[in-house]
Amino acid sequence: MSTSSPMLTPDHVEDAMSRGLAWLADVQEGDGDIPVFACRRRDLSGRRHLDSSPFNAAHILEGVRACGGPEAGAIAAGLEAYLWREASPGGTWSYFARKTGRKIDDDLDDTSCCAALLRGGERDRDLASNRELILANRDEHGRFKTWLRPPEARNDVDSVVNANVLWYLGDHEGTRAAAAWLCELVRSGAEAPTVLYYENRLTLYFALARALAGGASGLAPVRAPILDRLERVELGALDAVELAFCCRAAQDLDGPAELRARLLEALLGRQAADGSFPAAPVWNGPEHPAPRSVWWAGEPLTIGLALGCLAAARGR
């Protein structure tokens, strides 16, 4: 990683990563979970309550695992065990953890992200049947529906959910229509109305870049327009989560070195002395089309996203 900035030297990146991991290790619970919080106000100024979700744990796990080393391995092992305990028969997941006492239908977003991170291990056979369930959950246009429900039940189509399905399934005859739809959304700049459960299109760019880097080559046409838009993002207007999404998208799309460095430096500038990164809204609810009235956030989630960027930068 070559740069003249003192914030981007290998030693500084390693130190930032180590401090982030130490923060997560301190808050990880005995069951392996690392809770975040939910808030009824988007600016997070209202009452917050701790919340447990496989979806949040999966995104923390992704960043932690990328760091490597004994400390990251210990945190990751706890998170992996937690995710497996939350799995439904057939290798699917829902948003709320069982210990919350809340029930919600299993969905393709949780399922795809959890399965993408857990596949290839000793329990890979436990995921064998979920691909069939996912592929059966498409609309008449070949796009993936969010909720695992009977065909006649209410459902919706979210572009980020579709990108996450492609991260898991990759190139497949059953994903081509969804890939074409996503490429057209980005080409035409029509993404915003299709981002239902996330804050803005930056999350979609992150998810598309991750899926493309993971082997969903049908998404290749999104690379140029996303990088062009990332070049024009006003960094000072972004929160730490948005910066992490932009940074990781630029990395996964192998964007220009100057752009990657600029985004990483801005992200590192948000890290606190204790190793944390500030909480910011990441996803929201309730189920569409009800008005947004709850937002999920938390320092652990931002740290997990930032660690993925730091680990990717270290590997260059």
Side-chain angles (χ1 to χ4, degrees):
M1 180 174 47
S2 60
T3 176
S4 58
S5 170
M7 291 189 72
L8 299 184
T9 63
D11 285 348
H12 188 94
V13 170
E14 287 289 344
D15 176 68
M17 198 181 308
S18 178
R19 289 187 292 123
L21 288 169
W23 201 98
L24 291 177
D26 283 345
V27 301
Q28 188 168 29
E29 298 188 341
D31 64 354
D33 184 23
I34 300 179
V36 297
F37 64 80
C39 185
R40 291 290 183 180
R41 294 178 61 94
R42 190 190 179 282
D43 64 5
L44 309 181
S45 62
R47 178 179 173 272
R48 303 175 177 185
H49 63 84
L50 284 179
D51 209 359
S52 177
S53 165
F55 196 65
N56 295 312
H59 282 83
I60 298 170
L61 170 62
E62 184 184 6
V64 167
R65 185 191 282 167
C67 296
E71 186 171 26
I75 299 169
L79 287 166
E80 289 167 7
Y82 164 75
L83 289 180
W84 277 121
R85 286 194 301 272
E86 292 297 325
S88 301
T92 61
W93 279 262
S94 67
Y95 187 80
F96 293 121
R98 291 184 177 87
K99 64 184 177 182
T100 67
R102 282 171 288 172
K103 294 186 181 297
I104 192 171
D105 291 333
D106 287 10
D107 65 83
L108 296 198
D109 216 13
D110 286 86
T111 295
S112 296
C113 291
C114 291
L117 290 165
L118 295 174
R119 62 184 162 187
E122 295 179 359
R123 297 186 57 181
D124 201 43
R125 64 185 183 278
D126 295 330
L127 302 175
S129 63
N130 71 11
R131 293 170 179 82
E132 184 177 343
L133 292 171
I134 293 170
L135 288 167
N137 206 54
R138 289 174 290 171
D139 69 5
E140 66 274 17
H141 304 294
R143 304 172 303 179
F144 293 92
K145 295 182 286 187
T146 301
W147 306 97
L148 280 165
R149 291 171 176 165
E152 67 278 6
R154 185 181 66 185
N155 219 316
D156 55 58
V157 174
D158 181 297
S159 55
V160 185
V161 175
N162 275 256
N164 287 335
V165 171
L166 268 63
W167 177 37
Y168 177 46
L169 295 183
D171 271 338
H172 184 286
E173 183 179 356
T175 66
R176 289 173 190 157
W181 174 63
L182 290 167
C183 290
E184 176 57 22
L185 285 178
V186 174
R187 185 201 66 79
S188 63
E191 314 99 319
T194 71
V195 179
L196 306 182
Y197 295 103
Y198 297 84
E199 287 303 288
N200 54 52
R201 65 181 184 171
L202 298 178
T203 318
L204 176 60
Y205 295 165
F206 160 79
L208 289 169
R210 178 170 65 178
L212 179 57
S217 60
L219 294 174
V222 307
R223 181 179 182 275
I226 290 178
L227 287 174
D228 178 66
R229 290 164 199 173
L230 293 179
E231 289 276 13
R232 293 184 278 115
V233 164
E234 184 181 344
L235 301 188
L238 303 182
D239 59 42
V241 166
E242 292 169 331
L243 277 172
F245 283 148
C246 291
C247 183
R248 189 59 192 273
Q251 292 169 329
D252 281 344
L253 295 174
D254 196 24
E258 187 277 333
L259 172 64
R260 299 195 311 266
R262 182 157 42 92
L263 289 166
L264 185 64
E265 184 169 20
L267 178 61
L268 280 169
R270 307 295 178 90
Q271 189 175 31
D274 65 359
S276 66
F277 287 80
V282 188
W283 14 86
N284 55 55
E287 182 178 344
H288 182 78
R292 306 299 83 195
S293 62
V294 60
W295 287 264
W296 282 271
E299 288 83 353
L301 190 48
T302 317
I303 293 171
L305 295 169
L307 288 176
C309 300
L310 293 169
R314 181 185 59 180
R316 290 186 177 273

